[in-house]
PDB file of all heavy atoms in Angstrom:
ATOM      1  N   ASN E  42     -11.352  18.776  -4.291  1.00  0.00           N
ATOM      2  CA  ASN E  42     -11.141  20.142  -4.724  1.00  0.00           C
ATOM      3  C   ASN E  42      -9.767  20.674  -4.351  1.00  0.00           C
ATOM      4  O   ASN E  42      -9.144  21.402  -5.095  1.00  0.00           O
ATOM      5  CB  ASN E  42     -12.213  21.005  -4.057  1.00  0.00           C
ATOM      6  CG  ASN E  42     -12.332  22.338  -4.721  1.00  0.00           C
ATOM      7  OD1 ASN E  42     -12.328  22.423  -5.927  1.00  0.00           O
ATOM      8  ND2 ASN E  42     -12.421  23.377  -3.936  1.00  0.00           N
ATOM      9  N   GLN E  55      -7.305   3.675  -6.489  1.00  0.00           N
ATOM     10  CA  GLN E  55      -8.332   3.823  -5.439  1.00  0.00           C
ATOM     11  C   GLN E  55      -7.681   4.365  -4.182  1.00  0.00           C
ATOM     12  O   GLN E  55      -6.727   3.757  -3.675  1.00  0.00           O
ATOM     13  CB  GLN E  55      -8.943   2.459  -5.092  1.00  0.00           C
ATOM     14  CG  GLN E  55      -9.504   1.721  -6.277  1.00  0.00           C
ATOM     15  CD  GLN E  55     -10.969   2.018  -6.470  1.00  0.00           C
ATOM     16  OE1 GLN E  55     -11.369   3.178  -6.492  1.00  0.00           O
ATOM     17  NE2 GLN E  55     -11.753   0.970  -6.584  1.00  0.00           N
ATOM     18  N   LEU E  57      -7.960   6.270  -0.207  1.00  0.00           N
ATOM     19  CA  LEU E  57      -8.748   6.669   0.952  1.00  0.00           C
ATOM     20  C   LEU E  57      -8.204   8.011   1.386  1.00  0.00           C
ATOM     21  O   LEU E  57      -6.990   8.154   1.622  1.00  0.00           O
ATOM     22  CB  LEU E  57      -8.580   5.656   2.094  1.00  0.00           C
ATOM     23  CG  LEU E  57      -9.278   4.308   1.942  1.00  0.00           C
ATOM     24  CD1 LEU E  57      -8.964   3.412   3.131  1.00  0.00           C
ATOM     25  CD2 LEU E  57     -10.800   4.499   1.855  1.00  0.00           C
ATOM     26  N   PHE E  58      -9.113   9.007   1.482  1.00  0.00           N
ATOM     27  CA  PHE E  58      -8.636  10.308   1.947  1.00  0.00           C
ATOM     28  C   PHE E  58      -8.971  10.520   3.423  1.00  0.00           C
ATOM     29  O   PHE E  58      -8.639  11.527   4.006  1.00  0.00           O
ATOM     30  CB  PHE E  58      -9.212  11.440   1.080  1.00  0.00           C
ATOM     31  CG  PHE E  58     -10.718  11.464   0.998  1.00  0.00           C
ATOM     32  CD1 PHE E  58     -11.483  11.996   2.015  1.00  0.00           C
ATOM     33  CD2 PHE E  58     -11.357  10.962  -0.127  1.00  0.00           C
ATOM     34  CE1 PHE E  58     -12.866  12.029   1.927  1.00  0.00           C
ATOM     35  CE2 PHE E  58     -12.736  11.000  -0.234  1.00  0.00           C
ATOM     36  CZ  PHE E  58     -13.502  11.534   0.795  1.00  0.00           C
ATOM     37  N   SER E  59      -9.673   9.556   3.991  1.00  0.00           N
ATOM     38  CA  SER E  59      -9.986   9.665   5.407  1.00  0.00           C
ATOM     39  C   SER E  59      -8.978   8.844   6.185  1.00  0.00           C
ATOM     40  O   SER E  59      -8.933   7.613   6.060  1.00  0.00           O
ATOM     41  CB  SER E  59     -11.411   9.137   5.647  1.00  0.00           C
ATOM     42  OG  SER E  59     -11.549   8.708   6.982  1.00  0.00           O
ATOM     43  N   TYR E  66      -9.019   0.377   8.390  1.00  0.00           N
ATOM     44  CA  TYR E  66      -8.852  -0.565   7.289  1.00  0.00           C
ATOM     45  C   TYR E  66      -7.621  -1.450   7.507  1.00  0.00           C
ATOM     46  O   TYR E  66      -7.680  -2.677   7.343  1.00  0.00           O
ATOM     47  CB  TYR E  66      -8.753   0.215   5.984  1.00  0.00           C
ATOM     48  CG  TYR E  66      -8.271  -0.564   4.798  1.00  0.00           C
ATOM     49  CD1 TYR E  66      -9.081  -1.525   4.208  1.00  0.00           C
ATOM     50  CD2 TYR E  66      -7.006  -0.334   4.258  1.00  0.00           C
ATOM     51  CE1 TYR E  66      -8.640  -2.240   3.119  1.00  0.00           C
ATOM     52  CE2 TYR E  66      -6.570  -1.050   3.165  1.00  0.00           C
ATOM     53  CZ  TYR E  66      -7.379  -2.000   2.592  1.00  0.00           C
ATOM     54  OH  TYR E  66      -6.941  -2.700   1.505  1.00  0.00           O
ATOM     55  N   ASP E  81     -16.773   2.966  15.944  1.00  0.00           N
ATOM     56  CA  ASP E  81     -17.366   3.911  14.984  1.00  0.00           C
ATOM     57  C   ASP E  81     -17.704   5.227  15.674  1.00  0.00           C
ATOM     58  O   ASP E  81     -17.447   6.321  15.152  1.00  0.00           O
ATOM     59  CB  ASP E  81     -18.675   3.323  14.402  1.00  0.00           C
ATOM     60  CG  ASP E  81     -18.431   2.125  13.532  1.00  0.00           C
ATOM     61  OD1 ASP E  81     -18.056   2.335  12.362  1.00  0.00           O
ATOM     62  OD2 ASP E  81     -18.592   0.985  14.024  1.00  0.00           O
ATOM     63  N   GLN E  82     -18.265   5.100  16.843  1.00  0.00           N
ATOM     64  CA  GLN E  82     -18.711   6.295  17.555  1.00  0.00           C
ATOM     65  C   GLN E  82     -17.562   7.232  17.841  1.00  0.00           C
ATOM     66  O   GLN E  82     -17.658   8.447  17.647  1.00  0.00           O
ATOM     67  CB  GLN E  82     -19.396   5.884  18.857  1.00  0.00           C
ATOM     68  CG  GLN E  82     -19.730   7.083  19.728  1.00  0.00           C
ATOM     69  CD  GLN E  82     -20.559   6.690  20.914  1.00  0.00           C
ATOM     70  OE1 GLN E  82     -21.707   6.285  20.761  1.00  0.00           O
ATOM     71  NE2 GLN E  82     -19.973   6.796  22.098  1.00  0.00           N
ATOM     72  N   GLU E  85     -16.173   8.818  14.712  1.00  0.00           N
ATOM     73  CA  GLU E  85     -17.057   9.882  14.254  1.00  0.00           C
ATOM     74  C   GLU E  85     -16.900  11.113  15.151  1.00  0.00           C
ATOM     75  O   GLU E  85     -16.858  12.251  14.681  1.00  0.00           O
ATOM     76  CB  GLU E  85     -18.522   9.403  14.268  1.00  0.00           C
ATOM     77  CG  GLU E  85     -19.468  10.423  13.643  1.00  0.00           C
ATOM     78  CD  GLU E  85     -20.912   9.947  13.542  1.00  0.00           C
ATOM     79  OE1 GLU E  85     -21.200   8.780  13.861  1.00  0.00           O
ATOM     80  OE2 GLU E  85     -21.751  10.770  13.124  1.00  0.00           O
ATOM     81  N   ALA E  89     -16.074  14.562  13.507  1.00  0.00           N
ATOM     82  CA  ALA E  89     -17.174  15.526  13.444  1.00  0.00           C
ATOM     83  C   ALA E  89     -17.158  16.537  14.575  1.00  0.00           C
ATOM     84  O   ALA E  89     -17.610  17.671  14.405  1.00  0.00           O
ATOM     85  CB  ALA E  89     -18.498  14.778  13.447  1.00  0.00           C
ATOM     86  N   GLU E  90     -16.640  16.139  15.745  1.00  0.00           N
ATOM     87  CA  GLU E  90     -16.712  17.067  16.885  1.00  0.00           C
ATOM     88  C   GLU E  90     -15.342  17.586  17.298  1.00  0.00           C
ATOM     89  O   GLU E  90     -15.182  18.782  17.574  1.00  0.00           O
ATOM     90  CB  GLU E  90     -17.383  16.368  18.069  1.00  0.00           C
ATOM     91  CG  GLU E  90     -18.825  15.973  17.776  1.00  0.00           C
ATOM     92  CD  GLU E  90     -19.534  15.421  19.000  1.00  0.00           C
ATOM     93  OE1 GLU E  90     -19.619  16.133  20.012  1.00  0.00           O
ATOM     94  OE2 GLU E  90     -20.001  14.264  18.936  1.00  0.00           O
ATOM     95  N   GLN E 122     -15.285  15.444  28.055  1.00  0.00           N
ATOM     96  CA  GLN E 122     -16.106  14.289  27.651  1.00  0.00           C
ATOM     97  C   GLN E 122     -15.253  13.033  27.600  1.00  0.00           C
ATOM     98  O   GLN E 122     -15.640  11.962  28.079  1.00  0.00           O
ATOM     99  CB  GLN E 122     -16.712  14.527  26.274  1.00  0.00           C
ATOM    100  CG  GLN E 122     -17.816  15.579  26.250  1.00  0.00           C
ATOM    101  CD  GLN E 122     -18.278  15.840  24.826  1.00  0.00           C
ATOM    102  OE1 GLN E 122     -18.248  14.941  23.988  1.00  0.00           O
ATOM    103  NE2 GLN E 122     -18.690  17.065  24.559  1.00  0.00           N
ATOM    104  N   THR E 211     -18.641  23.085  13.542  1.00  0.00           N
ATOM    105  CA  THR E 211     -19.806  22.258  13.859  1.00  0.00           C
ATOM    106  C   THR E 211     -21.121  23.021  13.816  1.00  0.00           C
ATOM    107  O   THR E 211     -22.178  22.411  13.733  1.00  0.00           O
ATOM    108  CB  THR E 211     -19.679  21.648  15.269  1.00  0.00           C
ATOM    109  OG1 THR E 211     -19.395  22.721  16.180  1.00  0.00           O
ATOM    110  CG2 THR E 211     -18.550  20.643  15.326  1.00  0.00           C
ATOM    111  N   THR E 215     -26.101  22.739   6.506  1.00  0.00           N
ATOM    112  CA  THR E 215     -26.510  22.947   5.118  1.00  0.00           C
ATOM    113  C   THR E 215     -27.998  23.220   4.996  1.00  0.00           C
ATOM    114  O   THR E 215     -28.442  24.046   4.209  1.00  0.00           O
ATOM    115  CB  THR E 215     -26.154  21.718   4.265  1.00  0.00           C
ATOM    116  OG1 THR E 215     -24.800  21.388   4.488  1.00  0.00           O
ATOM    117  CG2 THR E 215     -26.378  21.983   2.796  1.00  0.00           C
ATOM    118  N   ARG E 216     -28.775  22.523   5.805  1.00  0.00           N
ATOM    119  CA  ARG E 216     -30.221  22.721   5.708  1.00  0.00           C
ATOM    120  C   ARG E 216     -30.612  24.134   6.087  1.00  0.00           C
ATOM    121  O   ARG E 216     -31.483  24.719   5.469  1.00  0.00           O
ATOM    122  CB  ARG E 216     -30.929  21.723   6.604  1.00  0.00           C
ATOM    123  CG  ARG E 216     -30.970  20.359   5.956  1.00  0.00           C
ATOM    124  CD  ARG E 216     -31.810  19.415   6.755  1.00  0.00           C
ATOM    125  NE  ARG E 216     -31.875  18.126   6.090  1.00  0.00           N
ATOM    126  CZ  ARG E 216     -31.095  17.094   6.355  1.00  0.00           C
ATOM    127  NH1 ARG E 216     -30.179  17.196   7.280  1.00  0.00           N
ATOM    128  NH2 ARG E 216     -31.229  15.972   5.702  1.00  0.00           N
ATOM    129  N   THR E 653     -35.787  16.749 -25.884  1.00  0.00           N
ATOM    130  CA  THR E 653     -37.077  16.284 -25.369  1.00  0.00           C
ATOM    131  C   THR E 653     -37.996  17.430 -25.044  1.00  0.00           C
ATOM    132  O   THR E 653     -37.574  18.420 -24.441  1.00  0.00           O
ATOM    133  CB  THR E 653     -36.855  15.489 -24.066  1.00  0.00           C
ATOM    134  OG1 THR E 653     -35.985  14.414 -24.351  1.00  0.00           O
ATOM    135  CG2 THR E 653     -38.160  14.949 -23.518  1.00  0.00           C
ATOM    136  N   LEU E 661     -41.128  25.691 -16.573  1.00  0.00           N
ATOM    137  CA  LEU E 661     -39.959  26.295 -15.954  1.00  0.00           C
ATOM    138  C   LEU E 661     -39.340  27.362 -16.831  1.00  0.00           C
ATOM    139  O   LEU E 661     -38.970  28.433 -16.382  1.00  0.00           O
ATOM    140  CB  LEU E 661     -38.895  25.221 -15.716  1.00  0.00           C
ATOM    141  CG  LEU E 661     -38.887  24.592 -14.341  1.00  0.00           C
ATOM    142  CD1 LEU E 661     -38.060  23.330 -14.387  1.00  0.00           C
ATOM    143  CD2 LEU E 661     -38.319  25.559 -13.331  1.00  0.00           C
ATOM    144  N   ARG E 723     -30.621  28.002 -31.402  1.00  0.00           N
ATOM    145  CA  ARG E 723     -30.659  27.855 -29.949  1.00  0.00           C
ATOM    146  C   ARG E 723     -29.720  28.830 -29.272  1.00  0.00           C
ATOM    147  O   ARG E 723     -30.048  29.442 -28.267  1.00  0.00           O
ATOM    148  CB  ARG E 723     -30.225  26.449 -29.548  1.00  0.00           C
ATOM    149  CG  ARG E 723     -31.343  25.489 -29.414  1.00  0.00           C
ATOM    150  CD  ARG E 723     -30.832  24.152 -29.063  1.00  0.00           C
ATOM    151  NE  ARG E 723     -30.961  23.919 -27.644  1.00  0.00           N
ATOM    152  CZ  ARG E 723     -30.835  22.738 -27.082  1.00  0.00           C
ATOM    153  NH1 ARG E 723     -30.546  21.701 -27.822  1.00  0.00           N
ATOM    154  NH2 ARG E 723     -30.966  22.584 -25.800  1.00  0.00           N
TER     155      ARG E 723
ATOM    156  N   ASP P   7     -34.586  12.123   8.900  1.00  0.00           N
ATOM    157  CA  ASP P   7     -33.685  11.299   8.099  1.00  0.00           C
ATOM    158  C   ASP P   7     -33.487   9.943   8.750  1.00  0.00           C
ATOM    159  O   ASP P   7     -33.530   8.895   8.088  1.00  0.00           O
ATOM    160  CB  ASP P   7     -32.314  11.984   7.963  1.00  0.00           C
ATOM    161  CG  ASP P   7     -32.290  12.976   6.824  1.00  0.00           C
ATOM    162  OD1 ASP P   7     -33.286  13.037   6.063  1.00  0.00           O
ATOM    163  OD2 ASP P   7     -31.289  13.687   6.690  1.00  0.00           O
ATOM    164  N   ARG P  42     -23.837   7.556  19.898  1.00  0.00           N
ATOM    165  CA  ARG P  42     -23.804   8.964  19.569  1.00  0.00           C
ATOM    166  C   ARG P  42     -23.243   9.207  18.185  1.00  0.00           C
ATOM    167  O   ARG P  42     -22.251   8.594  17.806  1.00  0.00           O
ATOM    168  CB  ARG P  42     -22.898   9.620  20.609  1.00  0.00           C
ATOM    169  CG  ARG P  42     -22.546  11.035  20.355  1.00  0.00           C
ATOM    170  CD  ARG P  42     -21.577  11.439  21.440  1.00  0.00           C
ATOM    171  NE  ARG P  42     -21.135  12.797  21.277  1.00  0.00           N
ATOM    172  CZ  ARG P  42     -20.850  13.599  22.291  1.00  0.00           C
ATOM    173  NH1 ARG P  42     -20.994  13.166  23.533  1.00  0.00           N
ATOM    174  NH2 ARG P  42     -20.437  14.810  22.067  1.00  0.00           N
ATOM    175  N   LEU P  44     -24.571  10.590  14.005  1.00  0.00           N
ATOM    176  CA  LEU P  44     -25.497  10.176  12.953  1.00  0.00           C
ATOM    177  C   LEU P  44     -24.996   8.938  12.220  1.00  0.00           C
ATOM    178  O   LEU P  44     -25.733   7.989  11.949  1.00  0.00           O
ATOM    179  CB  LEU P  44     -25.668  11.332  11.954  1.00  0.00           C
ATOM    180  CG  LEU P  44     -26.562  11.033  10.754  1.00  0.00           C
ATOM    181  CD1 LEU P  44     -27.969  10.697  11.185  1.00  0.00           C
ATOM    182  CD2 LEU P  44     -26.591  12.215   9.802  1.00  0.00           C
ATOM    183  N   SER P  45     -23.717   8.948  11.903  1.00  0.00           N
ATOM    184  CA  SER P  45     -23.109   7.858  11.161  1.00  0.00           C
ATOM    185  C   SER P  45     -23.171   6.568  11.972  1.00  0.00           C
ATOM    186  O   SER P  45     -23.565   5.508  11.472  1.00  0.00           O
ATOM    187  CB  SER P  45     -21.661   8.271  10.895  1.00  0.00           C
ATOM    188  OG  SER P  45     -21.061   7.485   9.990  1.00  0.00           O
ATOM    189  N   THR P  46     -22.819   6.679  13.253  1.00  0.00           N
ATOM    190  CA  THR P  46     -22.812   5.509  14.137  1.00  0.00           C
ATOM    191  C   THR P  46     -24.226   4.958  14.311  1.00  0.00           C
ATOM    192  O   THR P  46     -24.454   3.750  14.241  1.00  0.00           O
ATOM    193  CB  THR P  46     -22.233   5.897  15.509  1.00  0.00           C
ATOM    194  OG1 THR P  46     -20.955   6.515  15.303  1.00  0.00           O
ATOM    195  CG2 THR P  46     -22.068   4.688  16.401  1.00  0.00           C
ATOM    196  N   LYS P  49     -25.324   3.159  11.264  1.00  0.00           N
ATOM    197  CA  LYS P  49     -24.717   1.821  11.161  1.00  0.00           C
ATOM    198  C   LYS P  49     -25.412   0.858  12.106  1.00  0.00           C
ATOM    199  O   LYS P  49     -25.612  -0.322  11.792  1.00  0.00           O
ATOM    200  CB  LYS P  49     -23.236   1.909  11.530  1.00  0.00           C
ATOM    201  CG  LYS P  49     -22.352   2.356  10.404  1.00  0.00           C
ATOM    202  CD  LYS P  49     -20.905   2.140  10.799  1.00  0.00           C
ATOM    203  CE  LYS P  49     -19.991   2.463   9.650  1.00  0.00           C
ATOM    204  NZ  LYS P  49     -18.581   2.280  10.037  1.00  0.00           N
ATOM    205  N   GLU P  66     -11.861  -3.221   1.651  1.00  0.00           N
ATOM    206  CA  GLU P  66     -11.721  -1.966   0.900  1.00  0.00           C
ATOM    207  C   GLU P  66     -13.057  -1.247   0.815  1.00  0.00           C
ATOM    208  O   GLU P  66     -13.160  -0.037   0.998  1.00  0.00           O
ATOM    209  CB  GLU P  66     -11.187  -2.245  -0.517  1.00  0.00           C
ATOM    210  CG  GLU P  66      -9.714  -2.615  -0.588  1.00  0.00           C
ATOM    211  CD  GLU P  66      -9.429  -4.036  -0.147  1.00  0.00           C
ATOM    212  OE1 GLU P  66     -10.372  -4.861  -0.168  1.00  0.00           O
ATOM    213  OE2 GLU P  66      -8.290  -4.325   0.247  1.00  0.00           O
ATOM    214  N   GLN P  73     -15.396   6.122   4.903  1.00  0.00           N
ATOM    215  CA  GLN P  73     -14.854   7.393   4.453  1.00  0.00           C
ATOM    216  C   GLN P  73     -15.957   8.331   3.987  1.00  0.00           C
ATOM    217  O   GLN P  73     -15.973   9.517   4.337  1.00  0.00           O
ATOM    218  CB  GLN P  73     -13.888   7.132   3.304  1.00  0.00           C
ATOM    219  CG  GLN P  73     -13.559   8.371   2.499  1.00  0.00           C
ATOM    220  CD  GLN P  73     -12.579   8.058   1.410  1.00  0.00           C
ATOM    221  OE1 GLN P  73     -11.392   7.956   1.670  1.00  0.00           O
ATOM    222  NE2 GLN P  73     -13.069   7.901   0.189  1.00  0.00           N
ATOM    223  N   GLU P  76     -18.073   9.686   6.749  1.00  0.00           N
ATOM    224  CA  GLU P  76     -17.363  10.782   7.424  1.00  0.00           C
ATOM    225  C   GLU P  76     -17.488  12.060   6.610  1.00  0.00           C
ATOM    226  O   GLU P  76     -17.734  13.143   7.125  1.00  0.00           O
ATOM    227  CB  GLU P  76     -15.889  10.382   7.593  1.00  0.00           C
ATOM    228  CG  GLU P  76     -15.074  11.403   8.364  1.00  0.00           C
ATOM    229  CD  GLU P  76     -13.587  11.033   8.394  1.00  0.00           C
ATOM    230  OE1 GLU P  76     -13.260   9.961   8.947  1.00  0.00           O
ATOM    231  OE2 GLU P  76     -12.767  11.813   7.875  1.00  0.00           O
ATOM    232  N   VAL P  82     -20.714  17.459   3.655  1.00  0.00           N
ATOM    233  CA  VAL P  82     -22.005  17.666   2.996  1.00  0.00           C
ATOM    234  C   VAL P  82     -22.988  18.399   3.906  1.00  0.00           C
ATOM    235  O   VAL P  82     -23.697  19.303   3.483  1.00  0.00           O
ATOM    236  CB  VAL P  82     -22.623  16.320   2.554  1.00  0.00           C
ATOM    237  CG1 VAL P  82     -23.970  16.546   1.903  1.00  0.00           C
ATOM    238  CG2 VAL P  82     -21.696  15.593   1.609  1.00  0.00           C
ATOM    239  N   ASP P  83     -22.991  18.007   5.176  1.00  0.00           N
ATOM    240  CA  ASP P  83     -23.965  18.593   6.097  1.00  0.00           C
ATOM    241  C   ASP P  83     -23.526  19.933   6.655  1.00  0.00           C
ATOM    242  O   ASP P  83     -24.270  20.556   7.407  1.00  0.00           O
ATOM    243  CB  ASP P  83     -24.199  17.636   7.280  1.00  0.00           C
ATOM    244  CG  ASP P  83     -25.075  16.459   6.874  1.00  0.00           C
ATOM    245  OD1 ASP P  83     -25.639  16.500   5.767  1.00  0.00           O
ATOM    246  OD2 ASP P  83     -25.191  15.518   7.667  1.00  0.00           O
ATOM    247  N   ARG P  84     -22.317  20.367   6.309  1.00  0.00           N
ATOM    248  CA  ARG P  84     -21.815  21.600   6.923  1.00  0.00           C
ATOM    249  C   ARG P  84     -21.398  22.615   5.883  1.00  0.00           C
ATOM    250  O   ARG P  84     -20.267  23.112   5.900  1.00  0.00           O
ATOM    251  CB  ARG P  84     -20.623  21.271   7.841  1.00  0.00           C
ATOM    252  CG  ARG P  84     -21.082  20.521   9.052  1.00  0.00           C
ATOM    253  CD  ARG P  84     -19.964  20.235  10.004  1.00  0.00           C
ATOM    254  NE  ARG P  84     -20.479  19.533  11.175  1.00  0.00           N
ATOM    255  CZ  ARG P  84     -19.730  18.929  12.070  1.00  0.00           C
ATOM    256  NH1 ARG P  84     -18.412  18.950  11.937  1.00  0.00           N
ATOM    257  NH2 ARG P  84     -20.270  18.315  13.094  1.00  0.00           N
ATOM    258  N   CYS P  85     -22.329  22.945   4.988  1.00  0.00           N
ATOM    259  CA  CYS P  85     -22.025  23.977   3.996  1.00  0.00           C
ATOM    260  C   CYS P  85     -22.449  25.331   4.546  1.00  0.00           C
ATOM    261  O   CYS P  85     -23.598  25.517   4.927  1.00  0.00           O
ATOM    262  CB  CYS P  85     -22.782  23.703   2.697  1.00  0.00           C
ATOM    263  SG  CYS P  85     -22.205  22.220   1.874  1.00  0.00           S
ATOM    264  N   GLU P  97     -16.945  17.925  -6.316  1.00  0.00           N
ATOM    265  CA  GLU P  97     -16.129  16.785  -5.905  1.00  0.00           C
ATOM    266  C   GLU P  97     -16.868  15.478  -6.134  1.00  0.00           C
ATOM    267  O   GLU P  97     -16.321  14.522  -6.690  1.00  0.00           O
ATOM    268  CB  GLU P  97     -15.752  16.906  -4.423  1.00  0.00           C
ATOM    269  CG  GLU P  97     -14.761  18.029  -4.171  1.00  0.00           C
ATOM    270  CD  GLU P  97     -14.321  18.135  -2.714  1.00  0.00           C
ATOM    271  OE1 GLU P  97     -15.060  17.695  -1.816  1.00  0.00           O
ATOM    272  OE2 GLU P  97     -13.234  18.692  -2.484  1.00  0.00           O
ATOM    273  N   ARG P 105     -18.631   5.841 -11.746  1.00  0.00           N
ATOM    274  CA  ARG P 105     -19.157   4.943 -10.727  1.00  0.00           C
ATOM    275  C   ARG P 105     -20.655   4.975 -10.696  1.00  0.00           C
ATOM    276  O   ARG P 105     -21.265   6.010 -10.901  1.00  0.00           O
ATOM    277  CB  ARG P 105     -18.707   5.414  -9.347  1.00  0.00           C
ATOM    278  CG  ARG P 105     -17.291   5.151  -9.051  1.00  0.00           C
ATOM    279  CD  ARG P 105     -17.038   5.475  -7.593  1.00  0.00           C
ATOM    280  NE  ARG P 105     -15.972   4.656  -7.112  1.00  0.00           N
ATOM    281  CZ  ARG P 105     -14.696   4.859  -7.373  1.00  0.00           C
ATOM    282  NH1 ARG P 105     -14.337   5.859  -8.115  1.00  0.00           N
ATOM    283  NH2 ARG P 105     -13.782   4.045  -6.904  1.00  0.00           N
ATOM    284  N   PHE P 133     -31.973  23.387 -13.997  1.00  0.00           N
ATOM    285  CA  PHE P 133     -31.652  22.338 -14.953  1.00  0.00           C
ATOM    286  C   PHE P 133     -30.245  22.507 -15.503  1.00  0.00           C
ATOM    287  O   PHE P 133     -29.560  21.544 -15.817  1.00  0.00           O
ATOM    288  CB  PHE P 133     -32.666  22.322 -16.110  1.00  0.00           C
ATOM    289  CG  PHE P 133     -33.927  21.602 -15.740  1.00  0.00           C
ATOM    290  CD1 PHE P 133     -35.087  22.295 -15.477  1.00  0.00           C
ATOM    291  CD2 PHE P 133     -33.947  20.222 -15.633  1.00  0.00           C
ATOM    292  CE1 PHE P 133     -36.242  21.635 -15.116  1.00  0.00           C
ATOM    293  CE2 PHE P 133     -35.115  19.549 -15.268  1.00  0.00           C
ATOM    294  CZ  PHE P 133     -36.257  20.273 -15.017  1.00  0.00           C
ATOM    295  N   ASN P 167     -32.093  14.379 -21.295  1.00  0.00           N
ATOM    296  CA  ASN P 167     -31.397  14.847 -22.492  1.00  0.00           C
ATOM    297  C   ASN P 167     -30.675  16.146 -22.188  1.00  0.00           C
ATOM    298  O   ASN P 167     -31.100  16.909 -21.348  1.00  0.00           O
ATOM    299  CB  ASN P 167     -32.401  15.104 -23.623  1.00  0.00           C
ATOM    300  CG  ASN P 167     -32.977  13.817 -24.126  1.00  0.00           C
ATOM    301  OD1 ASN P 167     -32.562  12.751 -23.726  1.00  0.00           O
ATOM    302  ND2 ASN P 167     -33.933  13.937 -25.006  1.00  0.00           N
ATOM    303  N   LEU P 169     -29.897  19.735 -22.396  1.00  0.00           N
ATOM    304  CA  LEU P 169     -30.615  20.915 -22.866  1.00  0.00           C
ATOM    305  C   LEU P 169     -29.666  22.022 -23.263  1.00  0.00           C
ATOM    306  O   LEU P 169     -29.977  22.878 -24.055  1.00  0.00           O
ATOM    307  CB  LEU P 169     -31.516  21.454 -21.755  1.00  0.00           C
ATOM    308  CG  LEU P 169     -32.655  20.551 -21.315  1.00  0.00           C
ATOM    309  CD1 LEU P 169     -33.374  21.190 -20.154  1.00  0.00           C
ATOM    310  CD2 LEU P 169     -33.616  20.325 -22.458  1.00  0.00           C
TER     311      LEU P 169
END
Side-chain angles (χ1 to χ4, degrees):
Chain E
N42 196 44
Q55 305 268 50
L57 286 178
F58 56 80
S59 156
Y66 167 71
D81 292 280
Q82 173 173 293
E85 187 176 355
E90 297 186 58
Q122 289 175 31
T211 52
T215 309
R216 282 187 178 95
T653 302
L661 265 165
R723 268 178 99 166
Chain P
D7 275 353
R42 171 184 179 147
L44 177 61
S45 193
T46 307
K49 277 191 175 179
E66 286 76 21
Q73 164 178 281
E76 184 186 298
V82 179
D83 284 350
R84 290 183 179 167
C85 293
E97 290 182 336
R105 286 188 151 76
F133 279 106
N167 290 354
L169 295 176

